[in-house]
Structures are given as structure tokens and as C-alpha cells.
Amino acid sequence: MILLDVLAKMFTKESVSSKDIARERLRLVLVHDRSSVSPNFLNALKEDLIKVIREYMDIDEESLSVHLENEENSVALVANIPVKGFKRVANDVEVQA
Amino acid sequence: MKGRALVITSGKGGVGKTTTTANLGTALAMMGKKIVLVDSDIGLRNLDVVMGLENRIVFDIVDVVNGNCKLKQALIKDKRFEGLFLLPAAQTKDKTAVTPHQMKNLVNELRKDFDFVLVDCPAGIEQGFKNAISGADHAIVVATPEVSSVRDADRIIGLLEAAGLNGPQLLVNRLRGKMVKKGDMMNIEDIVDILSIDLLGVVPEDESIVVSTNRGEPVVIETTSRAGAAYRRIARRITGEEVPILSLDESNNFVDRFKKILKLAR
């Protein structure tokens, strides 16, 4: 049994050390933990997003959704923001500058 | 005299909060400071046995809060060091027997007579935790190099900051140099990087902790113990002395030292 282990180690060459696995798992779990620590977190983010985007376009604030999606080895911030129309200024940026 | 109140906390149980409280307190007392250790783990008191003072308890923290005795009557004087005292937790009550407000008043009262008030926090994030941190002006977060412990430490750091206890410092406990070297245990950089807080110190895994706890003697008394030496260095750091953090690869055994010399010669 021990001999088998040794042989297995020699031939498969564990390329990723277990501490790196621990680190990566921690990083991911903490992204999630930290965002769920305060339920206000996503709401605050959502409000700030609305503030910025409203400068450029008309959006449907009611049906806007912002959430975190947990993929196998990454976490993504997914925002679904229905656009009702663009403001004229958005096209005039160069003229203004 | 207006002493500093430090809370030793972790979230997860079994990572060494009580051992750390006992040893830092003893080390500070060895430096001539006046120290009181407060066991805030009501219902599961342990600091008394780790300190070897369990046979001398007459009154406890709940007696003080309820006015059954004077604060001074409940303080147990350590038999080894002048200026080292313990305020034991109650064993029969539960954590709701004391409120955060009462705890704060108690700690403020103790500050008047001591250089440092060290509060040993219970595991968890409920009332016991809230009590323990309520009188403190600084927190030491103890974590071992494991996923579960670091995760809980992260949660605790968030709660401490939400409670206005800013700038908590990290004490990494039970680090195994050999495993770190093999890449089988997270190193200090990994943990500090993930938690992004200041590092107060590192205590290596050390069997002498078990032996000294068996005897009810803090390991800092042992001059040969590596963990004891680490705690003594941390205590000096707490008083504001600049003490470099020892390299983790630092191994005290002869073969390793010999190898190092060979490497240097090459």
C-alpha cells in the first residue's frame, strides 16, 4: 500500500500543493461570505450602479437585478439592467470635450 | 492608571484562545506588568484550569455583576507572579447572565488597577462574543492555518469592525514549519493576504503546550519551549517593543541548522 502511494506520487507528480488548494477554496468562499455578511451590500451596490448608469441612459429601475453567481471556480457579479432609452448626451460626449 | 483592554477572539473553537490568553497574560506579568485575565466564557470556564488556579475560586464574574461580592474579592491572585490576577467565569450560568453593558463597566473598573485587561472570548458569534468585545479597545484574532479557522476569523474581523473595534491584529497559532515547507499548510503570507489584517505574531505547533496545560502551568514559563518563546516575543510586541517576527523556516533542530550552515557555505 505504502509502496503504491510512493509510486503514485512519483508518476503523477502532484503539481498543485494542498496549501494552494486551501488558499483558492478560501478565496472563493470568502468572496461569498463577505458579500452575504451584510444584506445591505448588494442593495448599496445596486443603488450606486443606478446612479452612475442613469447619467447615460434611461433604465428600468424596477426590474433591474444585481446578484452574485457562483461558478465552479469563480464568482461573477451579474447585473441585468433593462434599458428604456439612451440620453442624447451619451452621443455628444466628444462634442462636449 | 488607565490600562488597555484586549480581547482574544477567533470565532472557531479550539484554535487556542484560552492558551493564548493565559500565556500572553503570564508573559506580560513576567515583564513586570499588572495583568488581569477575564474569562468571559460563562458556562464553559477553562482559563482557570489552564492557569492552574481552579482550586482557588470562591466568587466569579456573575457574582461580581450581580453584586454578590466586591470585584476585588473575586480576583484570584496567581501563585507564581506578582501582579497577575484571574477573574473566573461562572460555570453554572449561561452567557446571558452578563450583558454587554455590564461587561463594559466591569472592564472599565479593572482598567483603573491594571496595565492590561485580557478578555478570553468564547467561541461563536452570539451573546458571549458580544459581551467579550464590549469593553475592549483592541482585538487579537487567533487563527490556525486551516480553511475553517481562517474563514471564521474573516467573519469575526467583519463583526469586530462593525462593532467599531478597528485594526484587529492576527495571531497565527499552531503553525507547522515542516508542513509549510512541503506546501501542505498555508503559510503566513497566504493567511495575512487573505484576511488583509496586521500580523501580531506566529506561534509554532508545540507539544510542550499539552504538557504544560496538563500541569496547569503556562508554557511561557518554560525557557526551552518554542511556543513559549513565541508568546514572550508577542507580549513584548504588545507593549510596543519592536520585535521582528521569526522566519517560519526557522527550525530549532540540529539537523536543520546544520543544513542551513552547509547551504550558507556553498
Side-chain angles (χ1 to χ4, degrees):
Chain A
M1 194 61 199
I2 294 164
L3 184 68
L4 270 180
D5 282 349
V6 172
L7 284 175
K9 264 196 185 156
M10 276 173 67
F11 289 107
T12 52
K13 258 194 195 167
E14 287 180 63
S15 52
V16 186
S17 62
S18 74
K19 77 107 177 171
D20 287 328
I21 298 170
R23 214 177 101 106
E24 188 55 19
R25 289 177 58 220
L26 252 175
R27 194 184 62 78
L28 279 172
V29 83
L30 288 187
V31 168
H32 232 77
D33 283 2
R34 284 177 187 172
S35 67
S36 56
V37 162
S38 87
N40 300 328
F41 172 83
L42 278 181
N43 268 335
L45 174 66
K46 199 166 149 180
E47 269 163 37
D48 278 353
L49 272 178
I50 291 174
K51 240 183 265 168
V52 174
I53 296 168
R54 226 179 3 208
E55 300 280 315
Y56 298 89
M57 54 189 86
D58 282 330
I59 52 174
D60 183 359
E61 290 170 24
E62 293 299 305
S63 48
L64 176 147
S65 84
V66 176
H67 61 275
L68 290 170
E69 251 173 41
N70 212 350
E71 304 275 306
E72 200 175 310
N73 53 11
S74 66
V75 175
L77 174 69
V78 179
N80 192 349
I81 309 168
V83 179
K84 289 201 270 190
F86 287 85
K87 291 195 174 169
R88 205 167 277 127
V89 263
N91 298 324
D92 291 344
V93 172
E94 267 177 273
V95 180
Q96 277 183 340
Chain B
M1 176 146 67
K2 181 152 167 43
R4 282 168 67 200
L6 312 182
V7 60
I8 290 88
T9 182
S10 71
K12 189 176 181 298
V15 298
K17 284 181 294 296
T18 303
T19 305
T20 296
T21 309
N23 281 291
L24 289 182
T26 307
L28 285 163
M30 286 164 81
M31 293 164 68
K33 303 285 176 194
K34 234 187 142 196
I35 307 295
V36 61
L37 309 176
V38 180
D39 189 348
S40 70
D41 201 346
I42 299 167
L44 291 169
R45 82 171 165 218
N46 273 325
L47 191 49
D48 54 336
V49 285
V50 174
M51 291 295 294
L53 299 172
E54 68 274 21
N55 291 328
R56 308 222 243 146
I57 297 178
V58 182
F59 297 110
D60 57 48
I61 191 168
V62 176
D63 290 321
V64 174
V65 163
N66 291 341
N68 298 340
C69 70
K70 293 220 176 82
L71 176 54
K72 292 237 163 78
Q73 289 178 286
L75 295 179
I76 301 165
K77 196 181 173 314
D78 185 84
K79 47 197 169 186
R80 295 149 293 211
F81 297 99
E82 195 70 27
L84 179 58
F85 291 81
L86 168 72
L87 178 60
Q91 182 69 334
T92 50
K93 313 280 187 340
D94 68 46
K95 277 155 191 133
T96 55
V98 175
T99 67
H101 181 71
Q102 288 170 324
M103 190 70 186
K104 194 173 180 174
N105 289 342
L106 183 69
V107 169
N108 283 338
E109 201 57 40
L110 288 168
R111 263 181 224 273
K112 292 179 191 162
D113 295 323
F114 293 91
D115 295 312
F116 288 94
V117 182
L118 301 189
V119 182
D120 183 20
C121 178
I125 53 174
E126 296 83 17
Q127 168 130 22
F129 168 74
K130 285 172 191 153
N131 281 345
I133 67 166
S134 61
D137 31 44
H138 192 78
I140 296 172
V141 177
V142 181
T144 58
E146 292 158 77
V147 177
S148 51
S149 172
V150 176
R151 181 194 198 178
D152 289 1
D154 187 77
R155 179 99 163 92
I156 285 297
I157 293 163
L159 292 170
L160 287 169
E161 280 171 356
L165 263 178
N166 294 317
Q169 286 183 297
L170 176 69
L171 188 154
V172 178
N173 199 15
R174 309 190 67 167
L175 190 94
R176 299 186 194 202
K178 275 187 192 150
M179 291 192 75
V180 170
K181 235 185 252 175
K182 276 199 292 179
D184 274 334
M185 182 173 263
M186 282 185 286
N187 60 38
I188 298 301
E189 289 75 32
D190 291 331
I191 300 168
V192 169
D193 186 42
I194 285 168
L195 295 176
S196 53
I197 70 169
D198 281 351
L199 181 66
L200 176 65
V202 181
V203 179
E205 172 81 55
D206 186 348
E207 288 182 358
S208 60
I209 292 271
V210 179
V211 178
S212 67
T213 308
N214 286 344
R215 296 205 172 104
E217 306 240 325
V219 82
V220 284
I221 300 171
E222 305 269 335
T223 44
T224 53
S225 157
R226 295 178 63 213
Y231 277 124
R232 287 195 298 272
R233 294 169 70 84
I234 294 169
R236 283 163 59 198
R237 232 168 263 144
I238 288 173
T239 62
E241 233 182 284
E242 293 252 350
V243 186
I245 285 166
L246 283 183
S247 150
L248 317 168
D249 304 335
E250 203 104 24
S251 171
N252 271 348
N253 82 51
F254 175 74
V255 181
D256 279 11
R257 251 190 278 170
F258 194 65
K259 273 190 200 159
K260 219 178 253 174
I261 293 166
L262 283 180
K263 252 186 218 165
L264 281 177
R266 246 188 280 163

